[in-house]
Amino acid sequence: MDQFTISPSSGVPIYKQLFSQIERMVLNGYFPVGDHLPSVRQVATNLEVNPMTVSKAYGLLEERGYLTRLRGKGMVVAQRDEAVSQQEKFKMLNKMIEELLIQAQQMGINEQEVIALVAKNATENSPKSKKDKE
Amino acid sequence: MPITKTIIKINNLNKSYKKEQVLKELNWQVNQGDIVGLLGKNGAGKSTLLKSLLNIEEIDSGEITLFGEKHQHLTAQIKGRIGYVPQENDEISWLSISDLIKFRKQFYHQWSDEKVAELIERWDINTKKTIAELSPGQVQRVLIILALAPMPELIVFDEPAAALDPAARREFLKEIVSLASDENITIVFSTHIVSDLERVANKVAILEQGKICYFDDLDTTKENVVQLTIRQTDENDIDVPNVLRCRKYQQGQNCVVSKLDQNWLVEMRNKGVEITVTPMGLEDIFLELTL
């Protein structure tokens, strides 16, 4: 049951690492709606981290609407509005794009070049073009 | 909101050995449910602080209360609620482990044979052997078992992982994690193995120059203490709020701050200053805070 991985010595607090991991796993359907998440104790023992850290991550996910607490049954993936879910996905991608643009800027590569690079990558890696190559 | 209970309270603690003052007007407070990692360089006085706390070492002056009672006059009932794992073993070395356990049990009105049996099995301790016949790592495990058997509410560990190999340390951390699931249990452990602390502690304390010079949530610490890389084109240096140290480069500066000022960051970025924020691991943070 090693669904989650953490790096304790990273500068990013463990609860934040767990939060973003589970957020991604909910958005990409790894945890479908209604799915039960492992209990706080299970995760804490498995990862050898303080249970409070796990509770904190779960609490934050509940607050953001990803999870719902069911009495006596723990946390389940919440039913969400498709539009909201879509928004969250864009938000997450946006963060990654922002980071990409900053990195590019630092290397002296301008936005137009980045856009061209993304477009090129998209065509090369699309399933269709991969089939063509075969 | 539940009321937070103060478990340890220290006011103006002074402690010296001969002429050397180790703890100077030290103040500290630990609340119920906290899992505190106590960091400090070698010789900073971590053991002295823990021993003073438990009245194993006599203090020069100051006031310490545990569970609201003065630490020199703890009732037997309060004493039974405190577990301590010392750095050096001073248990009777000629008793077999099983006899040692029976002997120690007499002093407590609460004692979990279940817990003892479980840990002895899990940690593979031969109870027929005496302390003198065990390896340092096994001795440390026995000391941990003796401390946990009375089901204490406050547990003080002095360098618990020092003699343990990595696998045994992991086992020990698992035990701390399981203890920490009980919100009533408070744990203070001194360590120089920062990665252990990062996994299980929710608070970090740094002892330096006789004082607790830093005490905060571990998560908050990691969010606050960050490295900033500032790229600037003009000659004027930018004033960085809460700066701990800065190194200048041709194209800017590299700084570490004790608390990232978000408003300042936004303001600077709006002015077109390029700032990259990089989080730091606790080991680096510790070194920055104790320079």
PDB file of all heavy atoms in Angstrom, chain A residues 8-11 13-16 41 44-45 47-52 56 105-106, chain B residues 33 35 170 174 177-178 180-181 198-200 202 219 222-223 231 276 279-281:
ATOM      1  N   PRO A   8      11.053  13.397   3.196  1.00  0.00           N
ATOM      2  CA  PRO A   8      10.999  14.167   4.439  1.00  0.00           C
ATOM      3  C   PRO A   8      12.018  15.302   4.487  1.00  0.00           C
ATOM      4  O   PRO A   8      11.759  16.330   5.085  1.00  0.00           O
ATOM      5  CB  PRO A   8      11.337  13.133   5.521  1.00  0.00           C
ATOM      6  CG  PRO A   8      11.216  11.815   4.874  1.00  0.00           C
ATOM      7  CD  PRO A   8      11.404  12.004   3.419  1.00  0.00           C
ATOM      8  N   SER A   9      13.166  15.123   3.849  1.00  0.00           N
ATOM      9  CA  SER A   9      14.182  16.177   3.965  1.00  0.00           C
ATOM     10  C   SER A   9      13.992  17.290   2.946  1.00  0.00           C
ATOM     11  O   SER A   9      14.770  18.221   2.911  1.00  0.00           O
ATOM     12  CB  SER A   9      15.588  15.613   3.839  1.00  0.00           C
ATOM     13  OG  SER A   9      15.580  14.236   3.786  1.00  0.00           O
ATOM     14  N   SER A  10      12.949  17.184   2.142  1.00  0.00           N
ATOM     15  CA  SER A  10      12.675  18.281   1.218  1.00  0.00           C
ATOM     16  C   SER A  10      12.231  19.503   2.009  1.00  0.00           C
ATOM     17  O   SER A  10      11.753  19.412   3.130  1.00  0.00           O
ATOM     18  CB  SER A  10      11.570  17.863   0.259  1.00  0.00           C
ATOM     19  OG  SER A  10      10.750  18.951  -0.079  1.00  0.00           O
ATOM     20  N   GLY A  11      12.398  20.664   1.419  1.00  0.00           N
ATOM     21  CA  GLY A  11      11.977  21.897   2.091  1.00  0.00           C
ATOM     22  C   GLY A  11      10.465  22.071   2.074  1.00  0.00           C
ATOM     23  O   GLY A  11       9.917  22.913   2.775  1.00  0.00           O
ATOM     24  N   PRO A  13       6.947  21.142   3.223  1.00  0.00           N
ATOM     25  CA  PRO A  13       6.386  20.393   4.338  1.00  0.00           C
ATOM     26  C   PRO A  13       5.673  19.128   3.870  1.00  0.00           C
ATOM     27  O   PRO A  13       5.068  19.124   2.796  1.00  0.00           O
ATOM     28  CB  PRO A  13       5.383  21.363   4.967  1.00  0.00           C
ATOM     29  CG  PRO A  13       5.834  22.712   4.555  1.00  0.00           C
ATOM     30  CD  PRO A  13       6.534  22.546   3.228  1.00  0.00           C
ATOM     31  N   ILE A  14       5.761  18.061   4.673  1.00  0.00           N
ATOM     32  CA  ILE A  14       5.205  16.773   4.269  1.00  0.00           C
ATOM     33  C   ILE A  14       3.699  16.856   3.993  1.00  0.00           C
ATOM     34  O   ILE A  14       3.203  16.260   3.047  1.00  0.00           O
ATOM     35  CB  ILE A  14       5.517  15.707   5.343  1.00  0.00           C
ATOM     36  CG1 ILE A  14       7.031  15.503   5.425  1.00  0.00           C
ATOM     37  CG2 ILE A  14       4.845  14.380   5.017  1.00  0.00           C
ATOM     38  CD1 ILE A  14       7.498  14.625   6.566  1.00  0.00           C
ATOM     39  N   TYR A  15       2.978  17.648   4.786  1.00  0.00           N
ATOM     40  CA  TYR A  15       1.530  17.723   4.558  1.00  0.00           C
ATOM     41  C   TYR A  15       1.231  18.310   3.176  1.00  0.00           C
ATOM     42  O   TYR A  15       0.282  17.913   2.505  1.00  0.00           O
ATOM     43  CB  TYR A  15       0.832  18.523   5.674  1.00  0.00           C
ATOM     44  CG  TYR A  15       0.825  20.020   5.498  1.00  0.00           C
ATOM     45  CD1 TYR A  15      -0.222  20.668   4.850  1.00  0.00           C
ATOM     46  CD2 TYR A  15       1.874  20.798   5.973  1.00  0.00           C
ATOM     47  CE1 TYR A  15      -0.228  22.037   4.688  1.00  0.00           C
ATOM     48  CE2 TYR A  15       1.880  22.164   5.821  1.00  0.00           C
ATOM     49  CZ  TYR A  15       0.829  22.786   5.167  1.00  0.00           C
ATOM     50  OH  TYR A  15       0.840  24.137   4.998  1.00  0.00           O
ATOM     51  N   LYS A  16       2.089  19.230   2.736  1.00  0.00           N
ATOM     52  CA  LYS A  16       1.890  19.822   1.410  1.00  0.00           C
ATOM     53  C   LYS A  16       2.219  18.825   0.306  1.00  0.00           C
ATOM     54  O   LYS A  16       1.549  18.792  -0.720  1.00  0.00           O
ATOM     55  CB  LYS A  16       2.793  21.048   1.244  1.00  0.00           C
ATOM     56  CG  LYS A  16       2.175  22.309   1.767  1.00  0.00           C
ATOM     57  CD  LYS A  16       2.890  23.518   1.197  1.00  0.00           C
ATOM     58  CE  LYS A  16       2.209  24.792   1.635  1.00  0.00           C
ATOM     59  NZ  LYS A  16       3.089  25.946   1.420  1.00  0.00           N
ATOM     60  N   ARG A  41      -4.160   6.760  10.246  1.00  0.00           N
ATOM     61  CA  ARG A  41      -3.220   5.900  10.940  1.00  0.00           C
ATOM     62  C   ARG A  41      -2.432   5.007   9.984  1.00  0.00           C
ATOM     63  O   ARG A  41      -1.222   4.837  10.119  1.00  0.00           O
ATOM     64  CB  ARG A  41      -3.983   5.033  11.949  1.00  0.00           C
ATOM     65  CG  ARG A  41      -3.165   4.740  13.179  1.00  0.00           C
ATOM     66  CD  ARG A  41      -3.787   3.674  14.027  1.00  0.00           C
ATOM     67  NE  ARG A  41      -2.725   3.133  14.846  1.00  0.00           N
ATOM     68  CZ  ARG A  41      -2.625   3.331  16.159  1.00  0.00           C
ATOM     69  NH1 ARG A  41      -3.520   4.047  16.790  1.00  0.00           N
ATOM     70  NH2 ARG A  41      -1.631   2.802  16.831  1.00  0.00           N
ATOM     71  N   ALA A  44       0.053   7.140   8.108  1.00  0.00           N
ATOM     72  CA  ALA A  44       1.124   7.588   9.009  1.00  0.00           C
ATOM     73  C   ALA A  44       2.101   6.451   9.309  1.00  0.00           C
ATOM     74  O   ALA A  44       3.319   6.643   9.267  1.00  0.00           O
ATOM     75  CB  ALA A  44       0.532   8.140  10.302  1.00  0.00           C
ATOM     76  N   THR A  45       1.559   5.270   9.587  1.00  0.00           N
ATOM     77  CA  THR A  45       2.433   4.143   9.910  1.00  0.00           C
ATOM     78  C   THR A  45       3.246   3.725   8.692  1.00  0.00           C
ATOM     79  O   THR A  45       4.424   3.424   8.788  1.00  0.00           O
ATOM     80  CB  THR A  45       1.601   2.933  10.399  1.00  0.00           C
ATOM     81  OG1 THR A  45       0.537   3.420  11.205  1.00  0.00           O
ATOM     82  CG2 THR A  45       2.429   1.964  11.191  1.00  0.00           C
ATOM     83  N   LEU A  47       4.155   5.545   6.068  1.00  0.00           N
ATOM     84  CA  LEU A  47       5.177   6.510   5.671  1.00  0.00           C
ATOM     85  C   LEU A  47       6.090   6.874   6.835  1.00  0.00           C
ATOM     86  O   LEU A  47       7.046   7.605   6.654  1.00  0.00           O
ATOM     87  CB  LEU A  47       4.515   7.787   5.129  1.00  0.00           C
ATOM     88  CG  LEU A  47       3.651   7.648   3.884  1.00  0.00           C
ATOM     89  CD1 LEU A  47       2.985   8.976   3.567  1.00  0.00           C
ATOM     90  CD2 LEU A  47       4.489   7.197   2.699  1.00  0.00           C
ATOM     91  N   GLU A  48       5.764   6.366   8.030  1.00  0.00           N
ATOM     92  CA  GLU A  48       6.499   6.724   9.242  1.00  0.00           C
ATOM     93  C   GLU A  48       6.532   8.234   9.434  1.00  0.00           C
ATOM     94  O   GLU A  48       7.599   8.841   9.563  1.00  0.00           O
ATOM     95  CB  GLU A  48       7.924   6.170   9.196  1.00  0.00           C
ATOM     96  CG  GLU A  48       7.967   4.682   9.482  1.00  0.00           C
ATOM     97  CD  GLU A  48       9.030   3.976   8.682  1.00  0.00           C
ATOM     98  OE1 GLU A  48       9.960   4.644   8.236  1.00  0.00           O
ATOM     99  OE2 GLU A  48       8.918   2.752   8.511  1.00  0.00           O
ATOM    100  N   VAL A  49       5.356   8.820   9.385  1.00  0.00           N
ATOM    101  CA  VAL A  49       5.260  10.251   9.670  1.00  0.00           C
ATOM    102  C   VAL A  49       4.216  10.483  10.750  1.00  0.00           C
ATOM    103  O   VAL A  49       3.371   9.625  11.016  1.00  0.00           O
ATOM    104  CB  VAL A  49       4.884  11.081   8.418  1.00  0.00           C
ATOM    105  CG1 VAL A  49       5.970  10.965   7.355  1.00  0.00           C
ATOM    106  CG2 VAL A  49       3.536  10.674   7.861  1.00  0.00           C
ATOM    107  N   ASN A  50       4.301  11.637  11.352  1.00  0.00           N
ATOM    108  CA  ASN A  50       3.357  12.020  12.393  1.00  0.00           C
ATOM    109  C   ASN A  50       1.917  12.000  11.854  1.00  0.00           C
ATOM    110  O   ASN A  50       1.647  12.572  10.805  1.00  0.00           O
ATOM    111  CB  ASN A  50       3.738  13.434  12.845  1.00  0.00           C
ATOM    112  CG  ASN A  50       3.043  13.831  14.110  1.00  0.00           C
ATOM    113  OD1 ASN A  50       1.847  13.586  14.266  1.00  0.00           O
ATOM    114  ND2 ASN A  50       3.776  14.420  15.008  1.00  0.00           N
ATOM    115  N   PRO A  51       1.002  11.320  12.566  1.00  0.00           N
ATOM    116  CA  PRO A  51      -0.388  11.271  12.099  1.00  0.00           C
ATOM    117  C   PRO A  51      -1.017  12.661  11.911  1.00  0.00           C
ATOM    118  O   PRO A  51      -1.849  12.848  11.029  1.00  0.00           O
ATOM    119  CB  PRO A  51      -1.121  10.518  13.214  1.00  0.00           C
ATOM    120  CG  PRO A  51      -0.070   9.770  13.941  1.00  0.00           C
ATOM    121  CD  PRO A  51       1.208  10.534  13.787  1.00  0.00           C
ATOM    122  N   MET A  52      -0.568  13.612  12.721  1.00  0.00           N
ATOM    123  CA  MET A  52      -1.100  14.977  12.580  1.00  0.00           C
ATOM    124  C   MET A  52      -0.837  15.538  11.187  1.00  0.00           C
ATOM    125  O   MET A  52      -1.637  16.301  10.655  1.00  0.00           O
ATOM    126  CB  MET A  52      -0.442  15.893  13.612  1.00  0.00           C
ATOM    127  CG  MET A  52      -1.076  15.830  14.979  1.00  0.00           C
ATOM    128  SD  MET A  52      -0.332  17.050  16.072  1.00  0.00           S
ATOM    129  CE  MET A  52       0.944  16.089  16.862  1.00  0.00           C
ATOM    130  N   LYS A  56      -3.656  16.790   8.656  1.00  0.00           N
ATOM    131  CA  LYS A  56      -3.591  18.142   8.125  1.00  0.00           C
ATOM    132  C   LYS A  56      -3.821  18.140   6.611  1.00  0.00           C
ATOM    133  O   LYS A  56      -4.591  18.953   6.094  1.00  0.00           O
ATOM    134  CB  LYS A  56      -2.214  18.727   8.442  1.00  0.00           C
ATOM    135  CG  LYS A  56      -2.144  20.234   8.459  1.00  0.00           C
ATOM    136  CD  LYS A  56      -0.863  20.644   9.146  1.00  0.00           C
ATOM    137  CE  LYS A  56      -0.457  22.049   8.858  1.00  0.00           C
ATOM    138  NZ  LYS A  56       0.832  22.382   9.485  1.00  0.00           N
ATOM    139  N   GLN A 105      12.847  31.713 -18.921  1.00  0.00           N
ATOM    140  CA  GLN A 105      13.293  33.104 -18.888  1.00  0.00           C
ATOM    141  C   GLN A 105      14.711  33.188 -18.334  1.00  0.00           C
ATOM    142  O   GLN A 105      15.553  33.919 -18.832  1.00  0.00           O
ATOM    143  CB  GLN A 105      12.329  33.909 -18.017  1.00  0.00           C
ATOM    144  CG  GLN A 105      12.499  35.405 -18.164  1.00  0.00           C
ATOM    145  CD  GLN A 105      11.604  36.146 -17.187  1.00  0.00           C
ATOM    146  OE1 GLN A 105      11.078  35.545 -16.254  1.00  0.00           O
ATOM    147  NE2 GLN A 105      11.437  37.432 -17.379  1.00  0.00           N
ATOM    148  N   GLN A 106      14.945  32.372 -17.291  1.00  0.00           N
ATOM    149  CA  GLN A 106      16.269  32.387 -16.673  1.00  0.00           C
ATOM    150  C   GLN A 106      17.336  31.852 -17.622  1.00  0.00           C
ATOM    151  O   GLN A 106      18.503  32.181 -17.504  1.00  0.00           O
ATOM    152  CB  GLN A 106      16.251  31.594 -15.371  1.00  0.00           C
ATOM    153  CG  GLN A 106      15.590  32.375 -14.253  1.00  0.00           C
ATOM    154  CD  GLN A 106      15.336  31.539 -13.022  1.00  0.00           C
ATOM    155  OE1 GLN A 106      15.555  30.332 -13.015  1.00  0.00           O
ATOM    156  NE2 GLN A 106      14.866  32.184 -11.972  1.00  0.00           N
TER     157      GLN A 106
ATOM    158  N   GLY B  33       0.338  16.874  23.474  1.00  0.00           N
ATOM    159  CA  GLY B  33       0.190  16.410  22.100  1.00  0.00           C
ATOM    160  C   GLY B  33       1.336  16.799  21.187  1.00  0.00           C
ATOM    161  O   GLY B  33       1.410  16.330  20.058  1.00  0.00           O
ATOM    162  N   ILE B  35       4.918  16.791  19.588  1.00  0.00           N
ATOM    163  CA  ILE B  35       6.049  15.890  19.390  1.00  0.00           C
ATOM    164  C   ILE B  35       7.206  16.815  19.021  1.00  0.00           C
ATOM    165  O   ILE B  35       7.278  17.322  17.905  1.00  0.00           O
ATOM    166  CB  ILE B  35       5.804  14.884  18.235  1.00  0.00           C
ATOM    167  CG1 ILE B  35       4.413  14.256  18.322  1.00  0.00           C
ATOM    168  CG2 ILE B  35       6.915  13.840  18.178  1.00  0.00           C
ATOM    169  CD1 ILE B  35       4.194  13.320  19.470  1.00  0.00           C
ATOM    170  N   ARG B 170      14.226   2.931  12.097  1.00  0.00           N
ATOM    171  CA  ARG B 170      12.921   2.959  11.451  1.00  0.00           C
ATOM    172  C   ARG B 170      11.856   2.315  12.349  1.00  0.00           C
ATOM    173  O   ARG B 170      10.749   2.801  12.475  1.00  0.00           O
ATOM    174  CB  ARG B 170      12.975   2.221  10.111  1.00  0.00           C
ATOM    175  CG  ARG B 170      13.505   3.084   8.990  1.00  0.00           C
ATOM    176  CD  ARG B 170      12.621   4.295   8.889  1.00  0.00           C
ATOM    177  NE  ARG B 170      13.058   5.266   7.911  1.00  0.00           N
ATOM    178  CZ  ARG B 170      12.835   5.174   6.604  1.00  0.00           C
ATOM    179  NH1 ARG B 170      12.220   4.146   6.105  1.00  0.00           N
ATOM    180  NH2 ARG B 170      13.231   6.117   5.801  1.00  0.00           N
ATOM    181  N   LYS B 174       8.555   4.080  13.897  1.00  0.00           N
ATOM    182  CA  LYS B 174       7.212   3.505  13.781  1.00  0.00           C
ATOM    183  C   LYS B 174       6.527   3.528  15.136  1.00  0.00           C
ATOM    184  O   LYS B 174       5.337   3.826  15.243  1.00  0.00           O
ATOM    185  CB  LYS B 174       7.299   2.058  13.283  1.00  0.00           C
ATOM    186  CG  LYS B 174       7.304   1.922  11.799  1.00  0.00           C
ATOM    187  CD  LYS B 174       6.722   0.541  11.397  1.00  0.00           C
ATOM    188  CE  LYS B 174       6.327   0.506   9.944  1.00  0.00           C
ATOM    189  NZ  LYS B 174       7.419   0.469   8.989  1.00  0.00           N
ATOM    190  N   VAL B 177       5.483   7.020  15.933  1.00  0.00           N
ATOM    191  CA  VAL B 177       4.298   7.362  15.140  1.00  0.00           C
ATOM    192  C   VAL B 177       3.049   6.776  15.783  1.00  0.00           C
ATOM    193  O   VAL B 177       2.025   7.435  15.909  1.00  0.00           O
ATOM    194  CB  VAL B 177       4.447   6.850  13.684  1.00  0.00           C
ATOM    195  CG1 VAL B 177       3.120   6.893  12.946  1.00  0.00           C
ATOM    196  CG2 VAL B 177       5.491   7.663  12.947  1.00  0.00           C
ATOM    197  N   SER B 178       3.167   5.526  16.239  1.00  0.00           N
ATOM    198  CA  SER B 178       1.994   4.902  16.830  1.00  0.00           C
ATOM    199  C   SER B 178       1.652   5.558  18.173  1.00  0.00           C
ATOM    200  O   SER B 178       0.483   5.735  18.499  1.00  0.00           O
ATOM    201  CB  SER B 178       2.198   3.388  16.911  1.00  0.00           C
ATOM    202  OG  SER B 178       2.209   2.938  18.225  1.00  0.00           O
ATOM    203  N   ALA B 180       2.205   8.671  18.779  1.00  0.00           N
ATOM    204  CA  ALA B 180       1.718  10.007  18.454  1.00  0.00           C
ATOM    205  C   ALA B 180       0.261  10.010  18.017  1.00  0.00           C
ATOM    206  O   ALA B 180      -0.373  11.066  17.993  1.00  0.00           O
ATOM    207  CB  ALA B 180       2.593  10.624  17.368  1.00  0.00           C
ATOM    208  N   SER B 181      -0.281   8.831  17.672  1.00  0.00           N
ATOM    209  CA  SER B 181      -1.695   8.807  17.296  1.00  0.00           C
ATOM    210  C   SER B 181      -2.583   9.115  18.498  1.00  0.00           C
ATOM    211  O   SER B 181      -3.735   9.466  18.344  1.00  0.00           O
ATOM    212  CB  SER B 181      -2.109   7.439  16.748  1.00  0.00           C
ATOM    213  OG  SER B 181      -1.057   6.791  16.147  1.00  0.00           O
ATOM    214  N   GLU B 198      12.318  15.226  11.037  1.00  0.00           N
ATOM    215  CA  GLU B 198      11.438  15.712   9.967  1.00  0.00           C
ATOM    216  C   GLU B 198      10.248  14.801   9.742  1.00  0.00           C
ATOM    217  O   GLU B 198       9.205  15.237   9.307  1.00  0.00           O
ATOM    218  CB  GLU B 198      12.229  15.826   8.658  1.00  0.00           C
ATOM    219  CG  GLU B 198      13.102  17.060   8.648  1.00  0.00           C
ATOM    220  CD  GLU B 198      13.911  17.194   7.381  1.00  0.00           C
ATOM    221  OE1 GLU B 198      14.630  16.247   7.066  1.00  0.00           O
ATOM    222  OE2 GLU B 198      13.822  18.239   6.737  1.00  0.00           O
ATOM    223  N   ARG B 199      10.409  13.524  10.026  1.00  0.00           N
ATOM    224  CA  ARG B 199       9.303  12.607   9.821  1.00  0.00           C
ATOM    225  C   ARG B 199       8.256  12.703  10.929  1.00  0.00           C
ATOM    226  O   ARG B 199       7.072  12.731  10.655  1.00  0.00           O
ATOM    227  CB  ARG B 199       9.806  11.163   9.782  1.00  0.00           C
ATOM    228  CG  ARG B 199      10.449  10.795   8.497  1.00  0.00           C
ATOM    229  CD  ARG B 199      10.883   9.344   8.522  1.00  0.00           C
ATOM    230  NE  ARG B 199      11.414   8.977   7.236  1.00  0.00           N
ATOM    231  CZ  ARG B 199      10.664   8.551   6.225  1.00  0.00           C
ATOM    232  NH1 ARG B 199       9.369   8.412   6.378  1.00  0.00           N
ATOM    233  NH2 ARG B 199      11.213   8.255   5.074  1.00  0.00           N
ATOM    234  N   VAL B 200       8.708  12.741  12.155  1.00  0.00           N
ATOM    235  CA  VAL B 200       7.742  12.534  13.232  1.00  0.00           C
ATOM    236  C   VAL B 200       7.421  13.765  14.077  1.00  0.00           C
ATOM    237  O   VAL B 200       6.384  13.798  14.708  1.00  0.00           O
ATOM    238  CB  VAL B 200       8.175  11.383  14.169  1.00  0.00           C
ATOM    239  CG1 VAL B 200       8.262  10.089  13.389  1.00  0.00           C
ATOM    240  CG2 VAL B 200       9.480  11.675  14.849  1.00  0.00           C
ATOM    241  N   ASN B 202       6.247  17.489  15.192  1.00  0.00           N
ATOM    242  CA  ASN B 202       5.439  18.581  14.662  1.00  0.00           C
ATOM    243  C   ASN B 202       6.016  19.930  15.092  1.00  0.00           C
ATOM    244  O   ASN B 202       5.667  20.964  14.573  1.00  0.00           O
ATOM    245  CB  ASN B 202       3.970  18.450  15.062  1.00  0.00           C
ATOM    246  CG  ASN B 202       3.735  18.689  16.524  1.00  0.00           C
ATOM    247  OD1 ASN B 202       4.563  18.326  17.355  1.00  0.00           O
ATOM    248  ND2 ASN B 202       2.641  19.328  16.860  1.00  0.00           N
ATOM    249  N   ASP B 219       6.260  22.577  10.093  1.00  0.00           N
ATOM    250  CA  ASP B 219       5.735  23.004   8.794  1.00  0.00           C
ATOM    251  C   ASP B 219       5.913  24.498   8.592  1.00  0.00           C
ATOM    252  O   ASP B 219       6.331  24.950   7.535  1.00  0.00           O
ATOM    253  CB  ASP B 219       4.244  22.642   8.674  1.00  0.00           C
ATOM    254  CG  ASP B 219       4.033  21.136   8.602  1.00  0.00           C
ATOM    255  OD1 ASP B 219       4.976  20.432   8.193  1.00  0.00           O
ATOM    256  OD2 ASP B 219       2.936  20.678   8.958  1.00  0.00           O
ATOM    257  N   LYS B 222       9.441  25.354   7.779  1.00  0.00           N
ATOM    258  CA  LYS B 222       9.813  25.102   6.385  1.00  0.00           C
ATOM    259  C   LYS B 222       9.176  26.110   5.435  1.00  0.00           C
ATOM    260  O   LYS B 222       9.729  26.396   4.386  1.00  0.00           O
ATOM    261  CB  LYS B 222       9.422  23.683   5.983  1.00  0.00           C
ATOM    262  CG  LYS B 222      10.367  22.644   6.555  1.00  0.00           C
ATOM    263  CD  LYS B 222      10.141  21.289   5.930  1.00  0.00           C
ATOM    264  CE  LYS B 222      11.251  20.332   6.315  1.00  0.00           C
ATOM    265  NZ  LYS B 222      11.022  18.989   5.761  1.00  0.00           N
ATOM    266  N   GLU B 223       8.013  26.611   5.811  1.00  0.00           N
ATOM    267  CA  GLU B 223       7.365  27.604   4.945  1.00  0.00           C
ATOM    268  C   GLU B 223       7.997  28.979   5.094  1.00  0.00           C
ATOM    269  O   GLU B 223       8.026  29.765   4.159  1.00  0.00           O
ATOM    270  CB  GLU B 223       5.858  27.658   5.234  1.00  0.00           C
ATOM    271  CG  GLU B 223       5.121  26.494   4.596  1.00  0.00           C
ATOM    272  CD  GLU B 223       3.756  26.215   5.209  1.00  0.00           C
ATOM    273  OE1 GLU B 223       3.408  26.829   6.235  1.00  0.00           O
ATOM    274  OE2 GLU B 223       3.050  25.366   4.656  1.00  0.00           O
ATOM    275  N   ARG B 231      17.576  38.302  -8.838  1.00  0.00           N
ATOM    276  CA  ARG B 231      18.348  38.785  -9.980  1.00  0.00           C
ATOM    277  C   ARG B 231      18.089  40.267 -10.134  1.00  0.00           C
ATOM    278  O   ARG B 231      16.941  40.707 -10.176  1.00  0.00           O
ATOM    279  CB  ARG B 231      17.890  38.066 -11.246  1.00  0.00           C
ATOM    280  CG  ARG B 231      18.336  36.639 -11.271  1.00  0.00           C
ATOM    281  CD  ARG B 231      19.197  36.370 -12.445  1.00  0.00           C
ATOM    282  NE  ARG B 231      18.444  35.833 -13.566  1.00  0.00           N
ATOM    283  CZ  ARG B 231      18.960  35.697 -14.793  1.00  0.00           C
ATOM    284  NH1 ARG B 231      20.186  36.096 -15.033  1.00  0.00           N
ATOM    285  NH2 ARG B 231      18.239  35.184 -15.759  1.00  0.00           N
ATOM    286  N   THR B 276      13.454  34.097  -7.191  1.00  0.00           N
ATOM    287  CA  THR B 276      13.083  32.686  -7.110  1.00  0.00           C
ATOM    288  C   THR B 276      13.114  32.276  -5.642  1.00  0.00           C
ATOM    289  O   THR B 276      14.069  32.573  -4.926  1.00  0.00           O
ATOM    290  CB  THR B 276      14.097  31.810  -7.874  1.00  0.00           C
ATOM    291  OG1 THR B 276      14.472  32.496  -9.061  1.00  0.00           O
ATOM    292  CG2 THR B 276      13.505  30.472  -8.213  1.00  0.00           C
ATOM    293  N   PRO B 279      12.570  26.333  -1.303  1.00  0.00           N
ATOM    294  CA  PRO B 279      12.436  25.821   0.063  1.00  0.00           C
ATOM    295  C   PRO B 279      13.726  25.136   0.512  1.00  0.00           C
ATOM    296  O   PRO B 279      14.539  24.731  -0.318  1.00  0.00           O
ATOM    297  CB  PRO B 279      11.296  24.816  -0.035  1.00  0.00           C
ATOM    298  CG  PRO B 279      11.021  24.593  -1.467  1.00  0.00           C
ATOM    299  CD  PRO B 279      11.724  25.615  -2.269  1.00  0.00           C
ATOM    300  N   MET B 280      13.889  25.013   1.823  1.00  0.00           N
ATOM    301  CA  MET B 280      15.105  24.410   2.356  1.00  0.00           C
ATOM    302  C   MET B 280      14.779  23.245   3.270  1.00  0.00           C
ATOM    303  O   MET B 280      13.802  23.268   3.993  1.00  0.00           O
ATOM    304  CB  MET B 280      15.885  25.447   3.174  1.00  0.00           C
ATOM    305  CG  MET B 280      16.434  26.596   2.353  1.00  0.00           C
ATOM    306  SD  MET B 280      16.921  27.941   3.414  1.00  0.00           S
ATOM    307  CE  MET B 280      18.368  27.228   4.165  1.00  0.00           C
ATOM    308  N   GLY B 281      15.638  22.236   3.247  1.00  0.00           N
ATOM    309  CA  GLY B 281      15.484  21.122   4.178  1.00  0.00           C
ATOM    310  C   GLY B 281      15.851  21.563   5.582  1.00  0.00           C
ATOM    311  O   GLY B 281      16.534  22.573   5.766  1.00  0.00           O
TER     312      GLY B 281
END
